[in-house]
Amino acid sequence: MPEINIIGQTTTAAQTVAVTAAPTSAGTAYVNPRASSSVTIVNTTAAGQDADVQYQLNATGWKRLGRSEGVTLAANVAADTLYFRRNGADPGTVEVSMESAPVISAGSAPVAIGVTTGPGNAVGLGLGARMRRLGVDSIKGAAKWFGNTIGGLTFGTLPVNGSAYRATSGLLMVAEAPFYALQLVVVNQVNNAITGLRAIAGVTESIDTSVAANRCKPVIGGVAYGAMAAAGSVNGFYPLTWGGQATPTIPASVTSAQFAVSDILPVNSVPRADVPGALPAVVIRVDQIPATGGNYSFVLTSAAMRTATAANRGRVVQTFNTGADALTNPNVNLNLSGDTPLIFPIFHYAVPSLTVAVCGDSTEQNDSLVTDVFTSWGYRGCADASSPKRPVNYLNLGSSSKTAPEYWARCQEIIAAGVPVDTLVIGPASVNDGYTIGTIARLFSDAKSRAMEIVRFCRANGISNLIWIPLLPFNSNTTAQDAYRLEFNAWLATIPGTTTLNFPALGNGATPERWVATMNFSADGIHPSELAIDTVMAPALTAALNAIA
């Protein structure tokens, strides 16, 4: 990623200009320097990165600034404008830290810096002396593939009982880029507290399950390590802690889900040896004794997720267990299994990252709409937008069979628990809310109020990207009912600072609108088919995510 440092003579506060452009196009930002400013621009792009940084003073023509080159410019606020852009084949951001405070002053306060963009480009401006990429300034990535409705769970009444099976369970997942630390999130959705849970984690160069002795163990240098890593060694497992303690205490889940986010575990991923260049992997083991520590929630998993496929985009999920303690002695082999406790990792990368929470009903949770169960349109859309330079992590906050008020409550809970989210994709209304004609005006009035509540929540919680999921066709709607749906979708698109997804290929455009048969799951008139998920909905999400600077 090219970087330009500006070193000036004044002592006023610094400004930052960030320019992001699509490959081979140019995004442009401009600033008006103070009177008689002397500004030195230095291209400090690291070796091996795109160095095509350009600048222009007024309309004198774009000039290339090569790696390690610098130039000093004299600029005057009355007559001069300084422009910056990138124009290379490598997508990324040009970030300009201007220590000379290159803005016009109105009294003692600076006025806005002007910004222009070309088609397909995004430009962000921010204050502060340090450079940053706006919209992707988090380096954390939470990766949760399972939804929020587990075993028909409904809050407000007593939640379902959990599993009483004494087990050590294992999870292998891949990250979106090399990582340098991780955390583990444990979710409690049962009506008892969970205590005594222990967890360990390690990194591995192989996700091959053909050798039983290697399953859910760190494999490094061709050797499986069924042991805790010795002091000074990276070979083996590391203990996870919560507030410095070996076990968390997670309250009972009576009216809301409960979460325990572990301390940060400093551990570096290792390159994959089984498939060179493939996504790095982590192995995690958790042990729980229900008789003394409480029952726990679990989710069924799919054998189709154990290997890389076109549907999962290489985002493999493997689960394991054994009915005994395999933490005290992690050399105990685990068996492949079809379920796992409700656990998921938060990866810490060395590059800016997006965590994309996709929140809605069964269309978003996606328990049975695709062959492998878990590769929802959110799963696939995030994967297709991800790269090692900008990891995009998927957080499944779908709640099958639930209304918008309930899945919105679940969304707020997980964010309040400390799970990082910087992009929220959500439907403020659901087909599950109903289309009862006698109350439909109030229903959609409430949905609009909920949408604005979501906007306020995002602003208050640092969620910089908000993307709306519109109401999809519903084959039971009358013309009058469908008119409310269409008006609501159009209204969503008018909310400033947000993006509304558009899926025109799903419906036939009739009045009232009906699903295109091939796009509808099992002719149910409600859900998208796998064809719709893969060819319409996932690409729309990918495009929206790619538009984020």
Side-chain angles (χ1 to χ4, degrees), residues 185-251:
V185 182
V186 182
V187 186
N188 185 11
Q189 290 190 348
V190 297
N191 57 11
N192 58 253
I194 292 177
T195 61
L197 180 144
R198 299 175 296 146
I200 57 177
V203 295
T204 183
E205 66 183 27
S206 175
I207 67 169
D208 180 22
T209 61
S210 63
V211 179
N214 291 0
R215 294 173 186 163
C216 203
K217 294 177 184 176
V219 178
I220 300 174
V223 178
Y225 290 92
M228 303 303 292
S233 173
V234 299
N235 299 329
F237 285 100
Y238 300 75
L240 285 153
T241 60
W242 286 263
Q245 302 300 308
T247 63
T249 296
I250 313 175

Side-chain angles (χ1 to χ4, degrees), residues 456-480:
R456 293 192 298 271
F457 179 88
C458 287
R459 289 175 175 170
N461 288 275
I463 299 172
S464 52
N465 310 300
L466 177 54
I467 300 173
W468 301 118
I469 305 170
L471 283 165
L472 304 184
F474 181 41
N475 283 4
S476 296
N477 270 354
T478 65
T479 298

